[in-house]
Amino acid sequence: MRILVVDDDTVTVSMLEALLQEEGHEVVTAFDGRDVLGCLQGNSLDLVITDIFMPEQDGLVTIARLREEFPQLRVVAISGGASALGKVDALRAAQLMGADAVLAKPLQAEQVLRVVNAVSSADKGTSFSGI
């Protein structure tokens, strides 16, 4: 699978990139939601894993735009929470925006792989939660 990982935290991006590449996936990375649509131009991606709280363009806006322009693309939202909107509320909001799955940080390798495999093989519209 070709997977786009989007997070402003370079440690999270590096961890996910290494984990997913080790499983045989091709990984593209971005550090802001504004970069997502540019990464999709000319690339056939199967899945986007996006953080929710990022500067410039957050993950909820990113998910909404992906749903408008690429409705068949699978999306996994991740979050560690933020001051006003807690992790669980943010992840539930991501599901309402159309994320196929959500995962709470700190991420666990086995859980990430289980969700990626489940999302990639499930019928569109099935949702998964790792909250």
Side-chain angles (χ1 to χ4, degrees):
M1 252 194 328
R2 290 194 54 162
I3 302 172
L4 172 60
V5 174
V6 187
D7 198 316
D8 59 318
D9 177 43
T10 57
V11 173
T12 299
V13 170
S14 296
M15 183 277 289
L16 286 171
E17 182 176 30
L19 175 68
L20 295 167
Q21 285 177 341
E22 191 173 291
E23 291 295 311
H25 301 294
E26 185 176 338
V27 180
V28 178
T29 61
F31 298 96
D32 189 291
R34 291 180 309 173
D35 301 330
V36 170
L37 295 179
C39 290
L40 288 165
Q41 301 305 321
N43 284 312
S44 62
L45 296 171
D46 302 299
L47 174 68
V48 173
I49 299 174
T50 183
D51 188 23
I52 294 176
F53 298 104
M54 297 180 286
E56 307 301 325
Q57 180 176 301
D58 69 36
L60 297 177
V61 172
T62 300
I63 293 166
R65 293 188 71 194
L66 288 171
R67 287 291 153 248
E68 285 177 21
E69 297 188 38
F70 303 93
Q72 296 304 86
L73 185 63
R74 303 298 180 129
V75 178
V76 174
I78 59 177
S79 181
S83 57
L85 188 60
K87 165 178 17 187
V88 173
D89 290 338
L91 292 170
R92 288 205 174 115
Q95 286 178 310
L96 292 172
M97 296 298 293
D100 297 294
V102 295
L103 289 169
K105 291 179 181 178
L107 299 172
Q108 304 297 318
E110 292 174 8
Q111 188 177 37
V112 170
L113 294 175
R114 187 172 56 250
V115 166
V116 166
N117 289 332
V119 167
S120 66
S121 63
D123 293 332
K124 187 71 179 142
T126 304
S127 64
F128 302 89
S129 177
I131 299 175

